[in-house]
Amino acid sequence: MATAASNDVSKRPGLRANYRFPPGFQRNLLWFAFRRFRPANPILLFQHLADTYGDIAHYKIGWNHIVFLNHPDYIREVLVVQNDNFIKERTVQRTKMLLGEGMITSEGAQHRTQRQVAQPAFHRQRIPEYAGMIVGEAARLSDRWRDGEQRDIAIDMMQLTLNVVADTLFATDLHDEVKELADAINRIMGLYNFLVMLPAAEWLVHVQPPGLAAFVRARKRIDAVVYRMIVAHRQRGSQSGSLLDLMLAASPDESPASEQSLRDQVITIFLAGYETVANALSWTWYLLSQNPECERRFHQEIDRELSGRLPTFDDVPRLRYVEMVLTESMRLYPPAWAMGRYARADFRLGDFFLPAKTTVLMSQFVTHRDSRFFPDPLRFDPERFTPEAKSRRTRLTYFPFGAGARQCVGESFTWMEGVLLLATLGQKWKLKLVPGHRVEPEPLITLRPKYGMKMFVERRTPFDELRAGTRPHGGA
């Protein structure tokens, strides 16, 4: 495929761009947005576009051109090959109201600098140091659970991963403030669709109409926790080599601009580091509860490899089925469920020539469920992710962490964290969905269970599934 630079005729004097758009809606999306698609659930729109128009589709919202991609070749072209021609699109920019200029929202040199500062904290030599902290947090949660009690596992996983991020990346004990922080973030998440759709929200936030007033209060609560953490860290003079140490070293002057930048980076890492993992874990417990044979194999591997002791970093490569379970869960319910880019200049995608300022969207949720790439796509099947199966799969048919220059900096940390948390909790407990509890994904900044995840926790005797391995069991 040709690059944007070699085909940007719109910049040649005397020539008018001859754009060629993909197939798509003949009418502006605003005409029937409230007739067919709920604005609060864009997944329905994306799935319709993929089902109706295939790999690439075009529509307009007002004057704005939107292109939706559902093929790895197109996705690679935008995220990797032509990456320099794209910045984050409007809905991501709108999250600056919470995140400021952090690693998710910043662009260009600022983003590269932030990534370079953070990179050492995620180096493969540092990752093993975090394992003990991760397992310790999970063991504390496991000890608090009681056999037969009903819990909202979505809340438990949120608080667990908040503590993990605070402990590992920020060398901070948040146990007394974790509920305050989680409640404030949940409040903002509940306002997400309102914030995205509200015209001129960045300006109206200073006027504070009812919805935005609630947002401002929640943001102030988050800021208070973050600034307390930064001040306490400075007073201790910590030199643990944590991510917060690296950020403080890069912001030594304590000027208002420097403090604001530090705040933005800390909040971004917190949100990216806890929210996505918490949702992945919640969906994993749900899927295991609905697939008994997979659940049996999951527990069987934990018992066989750990023999009743807590896991360590060295166990992660041996807990292959646990990792496959997590990987398949993120196929069906990817925490980062969609991505978007905004074109700086005219560009080509295959046979199509598109103007600058076009928004390009792609959805992990939709692509991961495409039967061309994953046969019987709605079936939960961890065997899709054996080493052999992964080696045969086309790249970017599965991309829960994105791709290219902006691929998640903490991906290796997340895989280790997810495996260790699942193994630690799964060693003692089975989780069963409360009968009648409604399970529905809600596409906010991340893909959350809309009604939480209410489950019974049932104590298991280690080795039960290992001893029962020769007896027949029902399928998923």
Side-chain angles (χ1 to χ4, degrees), residues 284 288 294 297-303 305-306 315-316 318-329 380 382 415 418-424:
T284 301
L288 284 171
C294 296
R297 290 188 59 186
F298 168 82
H299 288 298
Q300 185 182 59
E301 180 179 77
I302 292 170
D303 291 346
E305 298 299 332
L306 301 182
D315 293 310
V316 173
R318 293 191 285 271
L319 294 167
R320 291 181 178 178
Y321 193 75
V322 175
E323 182 179 306
M324 288 160 57
V325 163
L326 178 61
T327 309
E328 173 71 344
S329 171
F380 180 68
W415 284 119
V419 169
L420 290 175
L421 294 177
L422 288 169
T424 304

PDB file of all heavy atoms in Angstrom, residues 284 288 294 297-303 305-306 315-316 318-329 380 382 415 418-424:
ATOM      1  N   THR A 284     -12.582 -12.834  32.910  1.00  0.00           N
ATOM      2  CA  THR A 284     -12.002 -14.178  32.967  1.00  0.00           C
ATOM      3  C   THR A 284     -12.728 -15.042  33.989  1.00  0.00           C
ATOM      4  O   THR A 284     -13.046 -16.214  33.710  1.00  0.00           O
ATOM      5  CB  THR A 284     -10.503 -14.097  33.297  1.00  0.00           C
ATOM      6  OG1 THR A 284      -9.838 -13.318  32.296  1.00  0.00           O
ATOM      7  CG2 THR A 284      -9.875 -15.481  33.344  1.00  0.00           C
ATOM      8  N   LEU A 288     -14.727 -18.474  32.971  1.00  0.00           N
ATOM      9  CA  LEU A 288     -14.411 -19.755  33.609  1.00  0.00           C
ATOM     10  C   LEU A 288     -15.653 -20.356  34.258  1.00  0.00           C
ATOM     11  O   LEU A 288     -15.885 -21.571  34.177  1.00  0.00           O
ATOM     12  CB  LEU A 288     -13.310 -19.559  34.654  1.00  0.00           C
ATOM     13  CG  LEU A 288     -11.888 -19.386  34.120  1.00  0.00           C
ATOM     14  CD1 LEU A 288     -10.942 -18.981  35.254  1.00  0.00           C
ATOM     15  CD2 LEU A 288     -11.392 -20.668  33.453  1.00  0.00           C
ATOM     16  N   CYS A 294     -12.985 -25.983  30.959  1.00  0.00           N
ATOM     17  CA  CYS A 294     -11.858 -25.046  30.978  1.00  0.00           C
ATOM     18  C   CYS A 294     -11.501 -24.687  32.422  1.00  0.00           C
ATOM     19  O   CYS A 294     -10.314 -24.585  32.763  1.00  0.00           O
ATOM     20  CB  CYS A 294     -12.203 -23.779  30.202  1.00  0.00           C
ATOM     21  SG  CYS A 294     -12.494 -24.055  28.430  1.00  0.00           S
ATOM     22  N   ARG A 297      -9.461 -27.549  33.937  1.00  0.00           N
ATOM     23  CA  ARG A 297      -8.074 -27.562  33.474  1.00  0.00           C
ATOM     24  C   ARG A 297      -7.269 -26.420  34.089  1.00  0.00           C
ATOM     25  O   ARG A 297      -6.071 -26.571  34.392  1.00  0.00           O
ATOM     26  CB  ARG A 297      -8.029 -27.475  31.951  1.00  0.00           C
ATOM     27  CG  ARG A 297      -8.527 -28.713  31.239  1.00  0.00           C
ATOM     28  CD  ARG A 297      -8.273 -28.623  29.748  1.00  0.00           C
ATOM     29  NE  ARG A 297      -6.844 -28.463  29.447  1.00  0.00           N
ATOM     30  CZ  ARG A 297      -6.368 -28.241  28.219  1.00  0.00           C
ATOM     31  NH1 ARG A 297      -7.210 -28.140  27.188  1.00  0.00           N
ATOM     32  NH2 ARG A 297      -5.078 -28.108  28.013  1.00  0.00           N
ATOM     33  N   PHE A 298      -7.912 -25.282  34.258  1.00  0.00           N
ATOM     34  CA  PHE A 298      -7.296 -24.113  34.891  1.00  0.00           C
ATOM     35  C   PHE A 298      -6.831 -24.472  36.305  1.00  0.00           C
ATOM     36  O   PHE A 298      -5.661 -24.274  36.670  1.00  0.00           O
ATOM     37  CB  PHE A 298      -8.321 -22.975  34.890  1.00  0.00           C
ATOM     38  CG  PHE A 298      -8.005 -21.778  35.729  1.00  0.00           C
ATOM     39  CD1 PHE A 298      -7.166 -20.784  35.251  1.00  0.00           C
ATOM     40  CD2 PHE A 298      -8.589 -21.621  36.980  1.00  0.00           C
ATOM     41  CE1 PHE A 298      -6.899 -19.650  36.022  1.00  0.00           C
ATOM     42  CE2 PHE A 298      -8.331 -20.495  37.752  1.00  0.00           C
ATOM     43  CZ  PHE A 298      -7.481 -19.505  37.271  1.00  0.00           C
ATOM     44  N   HIS A 299      -7.743 -25.020  37.114  1.00  0.00           N
ATOM     45  CA  HIS A 299      -7.386 -25.386  38.491  1.00  0.00           C
ATOM     46  C   HIS A 299      -6.391 -26.537  38.524  1.00  0.00           C
ATOM     47  O   HIS A 299      -5.493 -26.584  39.384  1.00  0.00           O
ATOM     48  CB  HIS A 299      -8.641 -25.739  39.277  1.00  0.00           C
ATOM     49  CG  HIS A 299      -9.502 -24.561  39.614  1.00  0.00           C
ATOM     50  ND1 HIS A 299      -9.067 -23.526  40.395  1.00  0.00           N
ATOM     51  CD2 HIS A 299     -10.777 -24.262  39.272  1.00  0.00           C
ATOM     52  CE1 HIS A 299     -10.034 -22.634  40.524  1.00  0.00           C
ATOM     53  NE2 HIS A 299     -11.083 -23.055  39.847  1.00  0.00           N
ATOM     54  N   GLN A 300      -6.540 -27.450  37.609  1.00  0.00           N
ATOM     55  CA  GLN A 300      -5.647 -28.600  37.563  1.00  0.00           C
ATOM     56  C   GLN A 300      -4.205 -28.164  37.342  1.00  0.00           C
ATOM     57  O   GLN A 300      -3.274 -28.659  38.000  1.00  0.00           O
ATOM     58  CB  GLN A 300      -6.096 -29.548  36.446  1.00  0.00           C
ATOM     59  CG  GLN A 300      -5.330 -30.858  36.362  1.00  0.00           C
ATOM     60  CD  GLN A 300      -5.805 -31.697  35.203  1.00  0.00           C
ATOM     61  OE1 GLN A 300      -5.743 -31.273  34.046  1.00  0.00           O
ATOM     62  NE2 GLN A 300      -6.326 -32.881  35.494  1.00  0.00           N
ATOM     63  N   GLU A 301      -3.990 -27.234  36.412  1.00  0.00           N
ATOM     64  CA  GLU A 301      -2.631 -26.759  36.162  1.00  0.00           C
ATOM     65  C   GLU A 301      -2.069 -26.036  37.372  1.00  0.00           C
ATOM     66  O   GLU A 301      -0.899 -26.220  37.741  1.00  0.00           O
ATOM     67  CB  GLU A 301      -2.608 -25.833  34.946  1.00  0.00           C
ATOM     68  CG  GLU A 301      -1.192 -25.313  34.650  1.00  0.00           C
ATOM     69  CD  GLU A 301      -1.135 -24.409  33.442  1.00  0.00           C
ATOM     70  OE1 GLU A 301      -1.533 -23.220  33.565  1.00  0.00           O
ATOM     71  OE2 GLU A 301      -0.697 -24.877  32.373  1.00  0.00           O
ATOM     72  N   ILE A 302      -2.874 -25.204  38.014  1.00  0.00           N
ATOM     73  CA  ILE A 302      -2.413 -24.484  39.201  1.00  0.00           C
ATOM     74  C   ILE A 302      -1.960 -25.471  40.279  1.00  0.00           C
ATOM     75  O   ILE A 302      -0.884 -25.322  40.877  1.00  0.00           O
ATOM     76  CB  ILE A 302      -3.522 -23.551  39.733  1.00  0.00           C
ATOM     77  CG1 ILE A 302      -3.781 -22.412  38.734  1.00  0.00           C
ATOM     78  CG2 ILE A 302      -3.150 -22.988  41.104  1.00  0.00           C
ATOM     79  CD1 ILE A 302      -5.006 -21.580  39.051  1.00  0.00           C
ATOM     80  N   ASP A 303      -2.772 -26.506  40.515  1.00  0.00           N
ATOM     81  CA  ASP A 303      -2.424 -27.497  41.542  1.00  0.00           C
ATOM     82  C   ASP A 303      -1.158 -28.267  41.166  1.00  0.00           C
ATOM     83  O   ASP A 303      -0.283 -28.510  42.010  1.00  0.00           O
ATOM     84  CB  ASP A 303      -3.584 -28.471  41.737  1.00  0.00           C
ATOM     85  CG  ASP A 303      -4.788 -27.802  42.380  1.00  0.00           C
ATOM     86  OD1 ASP A 303      -4.631 -26.690  42.908  1.00  0.00           O
ATOM     87  OD2 ASP A 303      -5.884 -28.394  42.332  1.00  0.00           O
ATOM     88  N   GLU A 305       1.356 -27.408  39.129  1.00  0.00           N
ATOM     89  CA  GLU A 305       2.587 -26.628  39.044  1.00  0.00           C
ATOM     90  C   GLU A 305       2.993 -26.003  40.366  1.00  0.00           C
ATOM     91  O   GLU A 305       4.186 -25.773  40.609  1.00  0.00           O
ATOM     92  CB  GLU A 305       2.451 -25.532  37.975  1.00  0.00           C
ATOM     93  CG  GLU A 305       2.226 -26.058  36.566  1.00  0.00           C
ATOM     94  CD  GLU A 305       3.376 -26.923  36.065  1.00  0.00           C
ATOM     95  OE1 GLU A 305       4.526 -26.701  36.527  1.00  0.00           O
ATOM     96  OE2 GLU A 305       3.133 -27.808  35.224  1.00  0.00           O
ATOM     97  N   LEU A 306       2.033 -25.708  41.229  1.00  0.00           N
ATOM     98  CA  LEU A 306       2.352 -25.004  42.472  1.00  0.00           C
ATOM     99  C   LEU A 306       2.386 -25.913  43.695  1.00  0.00           C
ATOM    100  O   LEU A 306       2.992 -25.553  44.711  1.00  0.00           O
ATOM    101  CB  LEU A 306       1.351 -23.863  42.703  1.00  0.00           C
ATOM    102  CG  LEU A 306       1.272 -22.799  41.595  1.00  0.00           C
ATOM    103  CD1 LEU A 306       0.279 -21.709  41.977  1.00  0.00           C
ATOM    104  CD2 LEU A 306       2.644 -22.195  41.315  1.00  0.00           C
ATOM    105  N   ASP A 315       7.313 -19.290  38.123  1.00  0.00           N
ATOM    106  CA  ASP A 315       6.202 -20.178  37.763  1.00  0.00           C
ATOM    107  C   ASP A 315       5.439 -19.692  36.537  1.00  0.00           C
ATOM    108  O   ASP A 315       4.709 -20.471  35.915  1.00  0.00           O
ATOM    109  CB  ASP A 315       5.214 -20.309  38.932  1.00  0.00           C
ATOM    110  CG  ASP A 315       5.818 -21.028  40.119  1.00  0.00           C
ATOM    111  OD1 ASP A 315       6.394 -22.118  39.912  1.00  0.00           O
ATOM    112  OD2 ASP A 315       5.727 -20.504  41.242  1.00  0.00           O
ATOM    113  N   VAL A 316       5.572 -18.421  36.184  1.00  0.00           N
ATOM    114  CA  VAL A 316       4.746 -17.859  35.115  1.00  0.00           C
ATOM    115  C   VAL A 316       4.880 -18.642  33.809  1.00  0.00           C
ATOM    116  O   VAL A 316       3.859 -18.986  33.190  1.00  0.00           O
ATOM    117  CB  VAL A 316       5.060 -16.363  34.912  1.00  0.00           C
ATOM    118  CG1 VAL A 316       4.329 -15.813  33.694  1.00  0.00           C
ATOM    119  CG2 VAL A 316       4.668 -15.564  36.155  1.00  0.00           C
ATOM    120  N   ARG A 318       5.418 -21.682  33.393  1.00  0.00           N
ATOM    121  CA  ARG A 318       4.834 -23.015  33.542  1.00  0.00           C
ATOM    122  C   ARG A 318       3.314 -22.977  33.630  1.00  0.00           C
ATOM    123  O   ARG A 318       2.664 -24.011  33.464  1.00  0.00           O
ATOM    124  CB  ARG A 318       5.422 -23.698  34.779  1.00  0.00           C
ATOM    125  CG  ARG A 318       6.906 -24.017  34.644  1.00  0.00           C
ATOM    126  CD  ARG A 318       7.383 -24.916  35.765  1.00  0.00           C
ATOM    127  NE  ARG A 318       7.516 -24.199  37.012  1.00  0.00           N
ATOM    128  CZ  ARG A 318       8.620 -23.568  37.403  1.00  0.00           C
ATOM    129  NH1 ARG A 318       9.685 -23.562  36.620  1.00  0.00           N
ATOM    130  NH2 ARG A 318       8.675 -22.948  38.565  1.00  0.00           N
ATOM    131  N   LEU A 319       2.766 -21.819  33.918  1.00  0.00           N
ATOM    132  CA  LEU A 319       1.303 -21.679  34.024  1.00  0.00           C
ATOM    133  C   LEU A 319       0.745 -21.309  32.649  1.00  0.00           C
ATOM    134  O   LEU A 319       0.086 -20.287  32.464  1.00  0.00           O
ATOM    135  CB  LEU A 319       0.960 -20.622  35.076  1.00  0.00           C
ATOM    136  CG  LEU A 319       1.343 -21.010  36.516  1.00  0.00           C
ATOM    137  CD1 LEU A 319       1.260 -19.810  37.443  1.00  0.00           C
ATOM    138  CD2 LEU A 319       0.448 -22.147  37.030  1.00  0.00           C
ATOM    139  N   ARG A 320       1.002 -22.177  31.687  1.00  0.00           N
ATOM    140  CA  ARG A 320       0.654 -21.871  30.300  1.00  0.00           C
ATOM    141  C   ARG A 320      -0.848 -21.836  30.076  1.00  0.00           C
ATOM    142  O   ARG A 320      -1.351 -20.983  29.352  1.00  0.00           O
ATOM    143  CB  ARG A 320       1.303 -22.906  29.367  1.00  0.00           C
ATOM    144  CG  ARG A 320       2.821 -22.799  29.306  1.00  0.00           C
ATOM    145  CD  ARG A 320       3.414 -23.812  28.358  1.00  0.00           C
ATOM    146  NE  ARG A 320       4.868 -23.676  28.267  1.00  0.00           N
ATOM    147  CZ  ARG A 320       5.630 -24.461  27.536  1.00  0.00           C
ATOM    148  NH1 ARG A 320       5.089 -25.439  26.818  1.00  0.00           N
ATOM    149  NH2 ARG A 320       6.934 -24.277  27.506  1.00  0.00           N
ATOM    150  N   TYR A 321      -1.572 -22.776  30.672  1.00  0.00           N
ATOM    151  CA  TYR A 321      -3.020 -22.787  30.447  1.00  0.00           C
ATOM    152  C   TYR A 321      -3.679 -21.580  31.117  1.00  0.00           C
ATOM    153  O   TYR A 321      -4.632 -21.015  30.575  1.00  0.00           O
ATOM    154  CB  TYR A 321      -3.645 -24.086  30.959  1.00  0.00           C
ATOM    155  CG  TYR A 321      -5.062 -24.273  30.459  1.00  0.00           C
ATOM    156  CD1 TYR A 321      -5.309 -24.648  29.146  1.00  0.00           C
ATOM    157  CD2 TYR A 321      -6.155 -24.035  31.288  1.00  0.00           C
ATOM    158  CE1 TYR A 321      -6.597 -24.797  28.668  1.00  0.00           C
ATOM    159  CE2 TYR A 321      -7.456 -24.182  30.825  1.00  0.00           C
ATOM    160  CZ  TYR A 321      -7.668 -24.565  29.514  1.00  0.00           C
ATOM    161  OH  TYR A 321      -8.959 -24.703  29.037  1.00  0.00           O
ATOM    162  N   VAL A 322      -3.171 -21.173  32.276  1.00  0.00           N
ATOM    163  CA  VAL A 322      -3.689 -19.960  32.924  1.00  0.00           C
ATOM    164  C   VAL A 322      -3.527 -18.774  31.987  1.00  0.00           C
ATOM    165  O   VAL A 322      -4.450 -17.971  31.809  1.00  0.00           O
ATOM    166  CB  VAL A 322      -2.972 -19.708  34.265  1.00  0.00           C
ATOM    167  CG1 VAL A 322      -3.424 -18.381  34.878  1.00  0.00           C
ATOM    168  CG2 VAL A 322      -3.235 -20.848  35.245  1.00  0.00           C
ATOM    169  N   GLU A 323      -2.356 -18.666  31.363  1.00  0.00           N
ATOM    170  CA  GLU A 323      -2.145 -17.567  30.418  1.00  0.00           C
ATOM    171  C   GLU A 323      -3.060 -17.690  29.203  1.00  0.00           C
ATOM    172  O   GLU A 323      -3.587 -16.684  28.707  1.00  0.00           O
ATOM    173  CB  GLU A 323      -0.688 -17.531  29.959  1.00  0.00           C
ATOM    174  CG  GLU A 323      -0.408 -16.373  29.012  1.00  0.00           C
ATOM    175  CD  GLU A 323       1.041 -16.309  28.574  1.00  0.00           C
ATOM    176  OE1 GLU A 323       1.916 -16.286  29.453  1.00  0.00           O
ATOM    177  OE2 GLU A 323       1.276 -16.281  27.351  1.00  0.00           O
ATOM    178  N   MET A 324      -3.258 -18.907  28.709  1.00  0.00           N
ATOM    179  CA  MET A 324      -4.146 -19.097  27.566  1.00  0.00           C
ATOM    180  C   MET A 324      -5.579 -18.702  27.907  1.00  0.00           C
ATOM    181  O   MET A 324      -6.298 -18.117  27.076  1.00  0.00           O
ATOM    182  CB  MET A 324      -4.084 -20.558  27.104  1.00  0.00           C
ATOM    183  CG  MET A 324      -2.781 -20.922  26.401  1.00  0.00           C
ATOM    184  SD  MET A 324      -2.436 -22.701  26.366  1.00  0.00           S
ATOM    185  CE  MET A 324      -3.910 -23.327  25.542  1.00  0.00           C
ATOM    186  N   VAL A 325      -6.009 -19.008  29.123  1.00  0.00           N
ATOM    187  CA  VAL A 325      -7.348 -18.615  29.578  1.00  0.00           C
ATOM    188  C   VAL A 325      -7.470 -17.089  29.568  1.00  0.00           C
ATOM    189  O   VAL A 325      -8.460 -16.520  29.073  1.00  0.00           O
ATOM    190  CB  VAL A 325      -7.620 -19.181  30.987  1.00  0.00           C
ATOM    191  CG1 VAL A 325      -8.793 -18.469  31.646  1.00  0.00           C
ATOM    192  CG2 VAL A 325      -7.899 -20.679  30.905  1.00  0.00           C
ATOM    193  N   LEU A 326      -6.474 -16.410  30.117  1.00  0.00           N
ATOM    194  CA  LEU A 326      -6.495 -14.947  30.140  1.00  0.00           C
ATOM    195  C   LEU A 326      -6.469 -14.373  28.728  1.00  0.00           C
ATOM    196  O   LEU A 326      -7.183 -13.409  28.416  1.00  0.00           O
ATOM    197  CB  LEU A 326      -5.293 -14.440  30.945  1.00  0.00           C
ATOM    198  CG  LEU A 326      -5.110 -12.929  31.038  1.00  0.00           C
ATOM    199  CD1 LEU A 326      -6.307 -12.269  31.716  1.00  0.00           C
ATOM    200  CD2 LEU A 326      -3.816 -12.593  31.792  1.00  0.00           C
ATOM    201  N   THR A 327      -5.674 -14.960  27.859  1.00  0.00           N
ATOM    202  CA  THR A 327      -5.568 -14.477  26.478  1.00  0.00           C
ATOM    203  C   THR A 327      -6.885 -14.616  25.742  1.00  0.00           C
ATOM    204  O   THR A 327      -7.331 -13.696  25.035  1.00  0.00           O
ATOM    205  CB  THR A 327      -4.473 -15.253  25.731  1.00  0.00           C
ATOM    206  OG1 THR A 327      -3.275 -15.240  26.495  1.00  0.00           O
ATOM    207  CG2 THR A 327      -4.196 -14.640  24.378  1.00  0.00           C
ATOM    208  N   GLU A 328      -7.543 -15.762  25.909  1.00  0.00           N
ATOM    209  CA  GLU A 328      -8.835 -15.976  25.250  1.00  0.00           C
ATOM    210  C   GLU A 328      -9.910 -15.073  25.834  1.00  0.00           C
ATOM    211  O   GLU A 328     -10.794 -14.591  25.119  1.00  0.00           O
ATOM    212  CB  GLU A 328      -9.232 -17.455  25.383  1.00  0.00           C
ATOM    213  CG  GLU A 328     -10.630 -17.793  24.890  1.00  0.00           C
ATOM    214  CD  GLU A 328     -10.813 -17.732  23.379  1.00  0.00           C
ATOM    215  OE1 GLU A 328      -9.961 -17.148  22.680  1.00  0.00           O
ATOM    216  OE2 GLU A 328     -11.841 -18.258  22.894  1.00  0.00           O
ATOM    217  N   SER A 329      -9.830 -14.809  27.132  1.00  0.00           N
ATOM    218  CA  SER A 329     -10.767 -13.868  27.744  1.00  0.00           C
ATOM    219  C   SER A 329     -10.630 -12.487  27.119  1.00  0.00           C
ATOM    220  O   SER A 329     -11.626 -11.823  26.813  1.00  0.00           O
ATOM    221  CB  SER A 329     -10.507 -13.793  29.255  1.00  0.00           C
ATOM    222  OG  SER A 329     -11.245 -12.751  29.844  1.00  0.00           O
ATOM    223  N   PHE A 380     -15.754 -19.919  23.931  1.00  0.00           N
ATOM    224  CA  PHE A 380     -14.568 -19.710  24.761  1.00  0.00           C
ATOM    225  C   PHE A 380     -13.658 -20.916  24.625  1.00  0.00           C
ATOM    226  O   PHE A 380     -13.991 -22.025  25.042  1.00  0.00           O
ATOM    227  CB  PHE A 380     -14.999 -19.525  26.222  1.00  0.00           C
ATOM    228  CG  PHE A 380     -13.861 -19.303  27.177  1.00  0.00           C
ATOM    229  CD1 PHE A 380     -13.113 -18.139  27.125  1.00  0.00           C
ATOM    230  CD2 PHE A 380     -13.545 -20.255  28.135  1.00  0.00           C
ATOM    231  CE1 PHE A 380     -12.063 -17.926  28.018  1.00  0.00           C
ATOM    232  CE2 PHE A 380     -12.507 -20.051  29.033  1.00  0.00           C
ATOM    233  CZ  PHE A 380     -11.764 -18.884  28.977  1.00  0.00           C
ATOM    234  N   PRO A 382      -9.563 -21.584  25.071  1.00  0.00           N
ATOM    235  CA  PRO A 382      -8.173 -21.180  25.296  1.00  0.00           C
ATOM    236  C   PRO A 382      -7.173 -21.860  24.371  1.00  0.00           C
ATOM    237  O   PRO A 382      -6.066 -21.340  24.170  1.00  0.00           O
ATOM    238  CB  PRO A 382      -7.927 -21.574  26.761  1.00  0.00           C
ATOM    239  CG  PRO A 382      -9.290 -21.549  27.390  1.00  0.00           C
ATOM    240  CD  PRO A 382     -10.212 -22.050  26.319  1.00  0.00           C
ATOM    241  N   TRP A 415       0.833  -9.133  31.455  1.00  0.00           N
ATOM    242  CA  TRP A 415       0.709 -10.585  31.318  1.00  0.00           C
ATOM    243  C   TRP A 415       1.158 -11.288  32.598  1.00  0.00           C
ATOM    244  O   TRP A 415       0.476 -12.205  33.083  1.00  0.00           O
ATOM    245  CB  TRP A 415       1.533 -11.085  30.138  1.00  0.00           C
ATOM    246  CG  TRP A 415       0.927 -10.822  28.797  1.00  0.00           C
ATOM    247  CD1 TRP A 415       1.451 -10.068  27.788  1.00  0.00           C
ATOM    248  CD2 TRP A 415      -0.331 -11.309  28.313  1.00  0.00           C
ATOM    249  NE1 TRP A 415       0.601 -10.054  26.705  1.00  0.00           N
ATOM    250  CE2 TRP A 415      -0.500 -10.811  26.999  1.00  0.00           C
ATOM    251  CE3 TRP A 415      -1.339 -12.109  28.860  1.00  0.00           C
ATOM    252  CZ2 TRP A 415      -1.618 -11.096  26.221  1.00  0.00           C
ATOM    253  CZ3 TRP A 415      -2.460 -12.396  28.089  1.00  0.00           C
ATOM    254  CH2 TRP A 415      -2.589 -11.888  26.793  1.00  0.00           C
ATOM    255  N   GLY A 418      -1.482 -10.587  35.423  1.00  0.00           N
ATOM    256  CA  GLY A 418      -2.731 -11.329  35.254  1.00  0.00           C
ATOM    257  C   GLY A 418      -2.586 -12.792  35.605  1.00  0.00           C
ATOM    258  O   GLY A 418      -3.437 -13.371  36.304  1.00  0.00           O
ATOM    259  N   VAL A 419      -1.507 -13.428  35.146  1.00  0.00           N
ATOM    260  CA  VAL A 419      -1.290 -14.842  35.438  1.00  0.00           C
ATOM    261  C   VAL A 419      -1.111 -15.074  36.930  1.00  0.00           C
ATOM    262  O   VAL A 419      -1.704 -15.995  37.510  1.00  0.00           O
ATOM    263  CB  VAL A 419      -0.070 -15.368  34.644  1.00  0.00           C
ATOM    264  CG1 VAL A 419       0.347 -16.755  35.133  1.00  0.00           C
ATOM    265  CG2 VAL A 419      -0.395 -15.407  33.152  1.00  0.00           C
ATOM    266  N   LEU A 420      -0.313 -14.244  37.593  1.00  0.00           N
ATOM    267  CA  LEU A 420      -0.062 -14.434  39.017  1.00  0.00           C
ATOM    268  C   LEU A 420      -1.308 -14.187  39.864  1.00  0.00           C
ATOM    269  O   LEU A 420      -1.567 -14.908  40.840  1.00  0.00           O
ATOM    270  CB  LEU A 420       1.077 -13.521  39.474  1.00  0.00           C
ATOM    271  CG  LEU A 420       2.470 -13.875  38.954  1.00  0.00           C
ATOM    272  CD1 LEU A 420       3.485 -12.821  39.394  1.00  0.00           C
ATOM    273  CD2 LEU A 420       2.899 -15.256  39.431  1.00  0.00           C
ATOM    274  N   LEU A 421      -2.106 -13.186  39.502  1.00  0.00           N
ATOM    275  CA  LEU A 421      -3.335 -12.921  40.256  1.00  0.00           C
ATOM    276  C   LEU A 421      -4.332 -14.060  40.093  1.00  0.00           C
ATOM    277  O   LEU A 421      -4.951 -14.512  41.068  1.00  0.00           O
ATOM    278  CB  LEU A 421      -3.948 -11.593  39.811  1.00  0.00           C
ATOM    279  CG  LEU A 421      -3.144 -10.331  40.131  1.00  0.00           C
ATOM    280  CD1 LEU A 421      -3.830  -9.093  39.572  1.00  0.00           C
ATOM    281  CD2 LEU A 421      -2.929 -10.177  41.634  1.00  0.00           C
ATOM    282  N   LEU A 422      -4.511 -14.534  38.865  1.00  0.00           N
ATOM    283  CA  LEU A 422      -5.439 -15.647  38.633  1.00  0.00           C
ATOM    284  C   LEU A 422      -4.973 -16.905  39.359  1.00  0.00           C
ATOM    285  O   LEU A 422      -5.784 -17.614  39.979  1.00  0.00           O
ATOM    286  CB  LEU A 422      -5.559 -15.922  37.134  1.00  0.00           C
ATOM    287  CG  LEU A 422      -6.325 -14.896  36.303  1.00  0.00           C
ATOM    288  CD1 LEU A 422      -6.122 -15.164  34.816  1.00  0.00           C
ATOM    289  CD2 LEU A 422      -7.815 -14.918  36.645  1.00  0.00           C
ATOM    290  N   ALA A 423      -3.682 -17.197  39.309  1.00  0.00           N
ATOM    291  CA  ALA A 423      -3.176 -18.414  39.949  1.00  0.00           C
ATOM    292  C   ALA A 423      -3.293 -18.337  41.469  1.00  0.00           C
ATOM    293  O   ALA A 423      -3.653 -19.326  42.122  1.00  0.00           O
ATOM    294  CB  ALA A 423      -1.722 -18.644  39.540  1.00  0.00           C
ATOM    295  N   THR A 424      -3.012 -17.173  42.041  1.00  0.00           N
ATOM    296  CA  THR A 424      -3.076 -17.037  43.500  1.00  0.00           C
ATOM    297  C   THR A 424      -4.505 -17.197  44.010  1.00  0.00           C
ATOM    298  O   THR A 424      -4.763 -17.920  44.978  1.00  0.00           O
ATOM    299  CB  THR A 424      -2.513 -15.670  43.935  1.00  0.00           C
ATOM    300  OG1 THR A 424      -1.177 -15.530  43.435  1.00  0.00           O
ATOM    301  CG2 THR A 424      -2.495 -15.542  45.445  1.00  0.00           C
TER     302      THR A 424
END
